[in-house]
């Protein structure tokens, strides 16, 4: 049996007629940047997240960068981020001229350890960016309490958490602002790059709206040093078609995750912990850990099961961040995760017989 790590085919086959019809509609109207479809999706996604404002942009990285710029964060400032995130979180900080300050995650949840944040706060710290990694919300109550105590902004990196819920509120409505990615493989994915900012703060929304469009409210009048990072009309229209199905897709991801957690019983494999306190994880990734990760990955591939590693090199060991002056051993939890984590197949359309096969093969691994 051959099972890919991810397949978008089942999802898109169910929507193909509507997606093609939408493409033709946008093509025929000949409005491709910031038209009615763009405005409609911004409102729909804001309503979905339970916030007043959603501002479309080019990528998830752009979303975080625009929020930081809107808050006036730049040279000489520091922003706290988890040490085990995708590089985009750190790059968003670096693009402003600020310095990312890395904090270790909790080994069982993979999200930033709030108990380690305060020791990294200095007079230069301006914000905390908790990452809702793999679709699980970070411990936002504790993080927000710390931020308020020190007068810091809280920016959610919700790139992997479309529809995740923390204590009754959706990701994107938990901090001062949030950045989402609609990269095609995300729980809600475009057919290309796309992103969005959500916020309840009208001043952040106004600035992000200007910054993503050359710093302009009115054409040819530029008040801010802005960017060109706009959610194009076609991607907005396609995302509008997909959004009503997101809850169904997330529910299926949870069903698959529940089967993995309940039925994988190999002592060599460390499973992720289930969500706590009634929160709702949306399982963008299903990560397991194995001491002999490379051997385990090869075994699965030999048996036709596709996998991926999220992420094989932690931020502080990336060549582009040698200026942080960190070396192997300085952030051991992030290193442990990078050295042992492996992502199993997780997507809408994964069949029960395929899940049976994956579980059986994993349980036979020696």
């Amino acid at each position: 049996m051959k099972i890919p790590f991810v397949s978008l085919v089942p999802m898109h086959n169910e929507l193909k007629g509507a997606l093609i019809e939408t493409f033709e509609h946008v093509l025929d109207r000949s409005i491709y940047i910031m038209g009615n479809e763009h405005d409609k999706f911004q409102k729909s996604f804001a309503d979905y997240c339970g916030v007043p404002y959603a501002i479309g942009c080019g990528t998830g990285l752009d979303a975080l960068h625009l929020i930081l710029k809107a808050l006036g964060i730049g040279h000489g400032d520091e922003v706290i981020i988890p040490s085990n995130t995708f590089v985009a979180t750190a790059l968003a900080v670096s693009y402003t001229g600020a310095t990312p300050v890395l904090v270790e995650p909790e080994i069982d949840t993979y999200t930033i350890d709030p108990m380690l944040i305060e020791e990294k706060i200095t007079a230069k710290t301006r914000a905390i960016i908790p990452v809702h990694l793999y679709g699980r919300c970070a411990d936002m109550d504790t993080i927000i309490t710390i931020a308020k105590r020190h007068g810091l902004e809280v920016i959610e990196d919700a790139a992997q958490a479309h529809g995740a819920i923390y204590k009754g509120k959706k990701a994107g409505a938990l901090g001062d602002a949030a950045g989402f990615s609609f990269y095609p493989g995300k729980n809600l994915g475009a057919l290309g790059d796309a992103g969005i900012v959500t916020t309840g703060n009208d001043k952040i929304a106004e600035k992000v709206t200007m910054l993503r469009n050359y710093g302009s409210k009115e054409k040819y009048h530029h008040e801010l040093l802005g960017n060109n990072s706009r959610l194009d009309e076609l991607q907005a229209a396609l995302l509008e078609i997909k959004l009503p199905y997101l809850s169904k897709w997330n529910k299926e991801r949870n069903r698959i995750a529940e089967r993995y957690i309940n039925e994988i019983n190999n002592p060599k494999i460390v499973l992720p912990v289930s969500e706590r306190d009634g929160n709702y994880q949306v399982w963008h990734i299903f990560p397991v850990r194995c001491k002999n990760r490379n051997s385990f990955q090869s075994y699965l591939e030999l048996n036709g099961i596709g996998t991926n590693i999220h992420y094989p090199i932690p931020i502080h060991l990336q060549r582009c961040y040698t200026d942080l002056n960190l070396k192997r051993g300085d952030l051991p939890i992030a290193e442990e995760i990078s050295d042992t984590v492996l992502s199993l197949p997780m997507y809408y359309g994964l069949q029960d017989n395929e899940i049976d096969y994956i579980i059986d093969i994993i349980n036979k691994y020696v």
Side-chain angles (χ1 to χ4, degrees), residues 44-61:
S44 294
F45 196 73
D47 290 346
Y48 178 81
C49 292
V51 294
Y53 307 105
I55 306 98
C57 58
T59 67
L61 167 55

Side-chain angles (χ1 to χ4, degrees), residues 20 28 67 118 164 193 229 233 242 252 316 332:
I20 291 172
D28 290 344
I67 295 166
E118 282 195 282
D193 275 319
S229 179
E233 189 78 346
K242 286 185 167 189
E252 177 62 7
H316 68 291

Side-chain angles (χ1 to χ4, degrees), residues 32-261:
Y32 305 124
I33 300 291
M34 296 175 67
N36 291 338
E37 300 297 334
H38 163 273
D39 295 346
K40 185 191 303 182
F41 177 69
Q42 285 189 149
K43 183 178 186 312
S44 294
F45 196 73
D47 290 346
Y48 178 81
C49 292
V51 294
Y53 307 105
I55 306 98
C57 58
T59 67
L61 167 55
D62 286 353
L64 294 175
H65 179 218
L66 289 166
I67 295 166
L68 290 162
K69 284 186 69 174
L71 292 169
I73 292 171
H75 291 278
D77 295 329
E78 295 177 348
V79 177
I80 290 173
I81 68 171
S83 58
N84 62 318
T85 183
F86 181 55
V87 72
T89 315
L91 290 175
V93 176
S94 298
Y95 287 173
T96 69
T99 300
V101 175
L102 304 175
V103 171
E104 290 273 64
E106 297 176 317
I107 190 66
D108 57 343
T109 67
Y110 303 106
T111 58
I112 192 168
D113 187 339
M115 297 300 103
L116 301 179
I117 289 175
E118 282 195 282
E119 66 188 47
K120 295 294 182 76
I121 295 174
T122 73
K124 297 179 179 180
T125 307
R126 291 285 311 281
I128 305 168
I129 304 181
V131 178
H132 304 323
L133 199 66
Y134 307 145
R136 177 195 292 269
C137 289
D139 181 356
M140 293 299 290
D141 280 357
T142 306
I143 292 166
I144 289 170
T145 297
I146 292 168
K148 286 181 177 177
R149 186 155 59 235
H150 295 274
L152 306 177
E153 310 287 349
V154 177
I155 303 163
E156 299 170 72
D157 183 336
Q160 301 182 5
H162 315 69
I165 298 173
Y166 178 85
K167 297 190 176 179
K169 296 176 73 175
K170 283 208 174 94
L174 302 169
D176 296 291
F180 287 85
S181 166
F182 298 123
Y183 180 80
K186 295 293 196 280
N187 294 38
L188 180 64
L191 301 190
D193 275 319
I196 207 163
V197 171
T198 59
T199 184
N201 185 308
D202 58 348
K203 293 180 180 177
I204 293 175
E206 181 181 21
K207 280 198 171 182
V208 169
T209 300
M210 295 169 65
L211 287 166
R212 59 102 186 250
N213 188 34
Y214 300 103
S216 173
K217 286 183 187 176
E218 181 183 353
K219 195 168 184 178
Y220 302 130
H221 294 259
H222 306 280
E223 300 176 41
L224 303 173
L225 295 174
N227 298 66
N228 175 15
S229 179
R230 300 173 298 203
L231 175 60
D232 76 67
E233 189 78 346
L234 177 60
Q235 298 301 344
L238 297 173
L239 287 164
E240 179 74 12
I241 293 296
K242 286 185 167 189
L243 182 58
Y245 296 87
L246 178 56
S247 294
K248 170 186 173 182
W249 296 337
N250 283 341
K251 184 177 180 180
E252 177 62 7
R253 287 174 177 270
N254 269 267
R255 187 185 75 84
I256 296 166
E258 186 175 344
R259 286 207 58 194
Y260 283 157
I261 290 170

Side-chain angles (χ1 to χ4, degrees), residues 5 25 41-42 104 142 192 195 232 286 319 327 363:
F5 168 67
H25 169 72
F41 177 69
Q42 285 189 149
E104 290 273 64
T142 306
D232 76 67
F286 189 91
R319 289 183 63 186
K327 61 185 184 304
N363 286 338

Side-chain angles (χ1 to χ4, degrees), residues 265-277:
N265 57 17
N266 189 324
K268 294 184 180 297
I269 308 305
V270 179
L271 296 168
V273 295
S274 297
E275 189 57 275
R276 299 180 296 203
D277 302 322

